[in-house]
Amino acid sequence: MKKSIAVLSGDGIGPEVMREAIKVLNSIAKMYDHTFEYNYGEVGACAIDSTGDPLPQRSIDLCLGADAILFGAIGHPRYDKDPNAPVRPEQGLLKLRKFLGLFANVRPVTVYPELMDNSPLKVDRLKNVDLVIFRELTGGIYFGEKSTTDDGKQASDTCTYSIEEIEQISHEAFKAAQKRRKKLTLIDKANVLETSRLWRKEVKRIATQYPDIKVDYLYVDNAAMQMIIHPRQFDVILTSNMFGDIISDEASVITGSLGLLPSASYGKFIGMFEPIHGSYPQATGKNIANPIAMILSAAMMLDYFEMTDEAEHIRQAVAWAFANNIYTRDIHPEAYLGTTEVGDIIAAYIEDDQFPWFNRENLELGSSTII
Ligand code: IPM
Ligand code: MG
């Protein structure tokens, strides 16, 4: 199969982790006889630097002509420290999501047994944690009317949701629950917010079409606590844009590192695949970033292409890497490998799972030499 992929690596560690994902995709292409064509564009702070626009038209055109989009990370401390900046890197990502109608953001949270000690939670809380967050991505307070008064003394962000917006993501989440453990939790703040009450009403109505799914309703403050004390109770989480942003960062750290979690954003005509983590500017250029979230995002892209065996091959290679102590520094500060080396090993394993080519002892000693 031939697929054309728009690659927007973005800022900070984005390009570094993207290189590894593409390395892994190239191994898949080789083994399964596919052709992946990559077309690179700019987004975020690097795009502001070169064009003044966080999402230049050229990048939009690349995405419109592609079968899928791989997205790295965006953000730069220069903007984080300046609340007055007229353009911000994040605007590029938000505009892209809205423009492409990527309403469903899917964030699976898997706990790997080898990494349980890395989690801030006790091991007994982590066993069998396996959940997926369905975050609404093109509505809510992110995209509502915003204003600041002329004297700069007051500002507002409006949260708006329509029944249609709630419906389209809810059906996706219910269908996913049918293929999983058949439980769906709506996270909202229906005791305070009008939009949350609309979510609850709609989800209750939609639930009648999915009688096999058990539906729970949690207020977001309680859900934030439940995520820590009893994460195993969650199967599919359905939530709005803002709550999904917050709860997914919280869920990601319980797995041991923010650098592990992939995500997929689906719309009506294209999918975009990006890690949950940010641009991690402090790590840029040091070959220490964890490429796994980006590599697993590429696997989600292969699922989207209905290349199920190929996607599974990547996930299996990642699980094998963890079982063989192949980690970046965030996971194993004493004995770690570089971003590039982890990518090399995963790509090589995909091409030859007999791995006669690497010396395990070296890896276990934390040397990054592949023999
Ligand atoms: C995410 C990020 C983005 C968001 C930022 C970079 C705008 O945090 O994808 O979770 O808030 O959606
Ligand atoms: Mg976020």
Side-chain angles (χ1 to χ4, degrees):
M1 230 189 264
K2 183 166 186 265
K3 292 288 179 192
S4 163
I5 301 161
V7 181
L8 304 179
S9 306
D11 306 319
I13 58 164
E16 296 169 46
V17 293
M18 186 66 81
R19 251 192 312 274
E20 303 317 310
I22 287 182
K23 200 182 273 175
V24 170
L25 283 173
N26 286 340
S27 295
I28 290 287
K30 189 168 153 193
M31 298 309 287
Y32 293 84
D33 207 16
H34 296 306
T35 306
F36 296 139
E37 176 193 283
Y38 309 104
N39 294 304
Y40 290 81
E42 286 182 326
V43 69
C46 63
I48 300 177
D49 290 345
S50 64
T51 69
D53 185 347
L55 183 66
Q57 188 59 41
R58 192 185 156 269
S59 300
I60 298 180
D61 292 342
L62 276 185
C63 294
L64 290 175
D67 293 310
I69 305 157
L70 280 179
F71 193 101
I74 48 161
H76 193 283
R78 191 162 70 239
Y79 299 93
D80 297 337
K81 289 187 194 119
D82 178 10
N84 294 317
V87 278
R88 316 184 63 80
E90 290 78 4
Q91 288 164 347
L93 176 58
L94 298 179
K95 191 172 155 198
L96 192 60
R97 288 173 177 171
K98 190 73 176 174
F99 183 78
L100 298 173
L102 301 171
F103 64 85
N105 182 224
V106 183
R107 302 187 156 184
V109 178
T110 316
V111 172
Y112 293 90
E114 296 86 3
L115 301 188
M116 283 187 185
D117 285 340
N118 277 79
S119 173
L121 298 196
K122 293 196 179 88
V123 171
D124 67 315
R125 310 252 158 131
L126 293 169
K127 282 195 191 121
N128 302 321
V129 168
D130 176 18
L131 61 98
V132 58
I133 299 168
F134 275 69
R135 167 188 177 196
E136 198 290 326
L137 203 60
T138 49
I141 198 166
Y142 271 58
F143 293 97
E145 217 169 279
K146 299 176 188 303
S147 69
T148 304
T149 51
D150 290 341
D151 63 6
K153 288 190 172 159
Q154 222 180 60
S156 70
D157 297 277
T158 318
C159 183
T160 308
Y161 268 113
S162 69
I163 286 182
E164 290 75 24
E165 285 172 313
I166 298 168
E167 252 174 6
Q168 56 183 1
I169 175 112
S170 299
H171 283 293
E172 296 301 321
F174 273 101
K175 280 187 237 156
Q178 284 181 319
K179 293 191 200 124
R180 295 175 47 99
R181 300 196 310 278
K182 302 197 174 13
K183 182 174 176 193
L184 182 144
T185 306
L186 175 69
I187 294 180
D188 63 24
K189 189 72 186 171
N191 51 347
V192 176
L193 302 177
E194 204 58 35
T195 41
S196 285
R197 284 192 278 274
L198 187 64
W199 270 85
R200 223 172 243 226
K201 223 167 78 189
E202 275 311 293
V203 168
K204 276 202 169 126
R205 188 182 59 77
I206 294 166
T208 59
Q209 300 168 33
Y210 300 89
D212 51 332
I213 306 298
K214 179 182 178 320
V215 186
D216 263 8
Y217 303 88
L218 280 186
Y219 297 142
V220 63
D221 47 351
N222 183 14
M225 182 181 73
Q226 298 288 336
M227 187 61 78
I228 300 298
I229 60 176
H230 188 28
R232 199 165 27 241
Q233 70 181 286
F234 296 111
D235 179 14
V236 173
I237 288 176
L238 169 62
T239 192
S240 62
N241 203 345
M242 180 69 146
F243 296 154
D245 179 46
I246 298 168
I247 217 85
S248 63
D249 263 30
E250 189 191 16
S252 72
V253 291
I254 67 177
T255 66
S257 170
L258 186 57
L260 297 174
L261 291 201
S263 87
S265 302
Y266 303 106
K268 291 210 162 61
F269 68 97
I270 198 162
M272 179 160 100
F273 303 86
E274 58 174 309
I276 287 185
H277 62 69
S279 59
Y280 193 12
Q282 311 87 307
T284 309
K286 295 188 179 153
N287 197 32
I288 55 170
N290 191 337
I292 297 296
M294 190 73 238
I295 291 172
L296 291 173
S297 300
M300 291 184 88
M301 180 182 75
L302 297 183
D303 277 326
Y304 173 70
F305 291 156
E306 295 184 347
M307 299 178 181
T308 317
D309 289 350
E310 292 86 329
E312 210 35 59
H313 201 161
I314 294 183
R315 284 190 275 265
Q316 190 224 326
V318 168
W320 167 85
F322 291 159
N324 286 279
N325 293 327
I326 292 158
Y327 298 127
T328 40
R329 199 175 81 170
D330 49 317
I331 307 279
H332 221 306
E334 275 81 49
Y336 60 89
L337 296 166
T339 312
T340 322
E341 286 71 30
V342 169
D344 283 345
I345 293 171
I346 291 175
Y349 173 83
I350 286 171
E351 291 186 34
D352 176 9
D353 62 7
Q354 298 306 307
F355 51 94
W357 40 264
F358 94 90
N359 180 326
R360 202 146 144 179
E361 258 171 31
N362 269 5
L363 293 176
E364 275 161 12
L365 288 170
S367 150
S368 60
T369 319
I370 304 171
I371 295 174

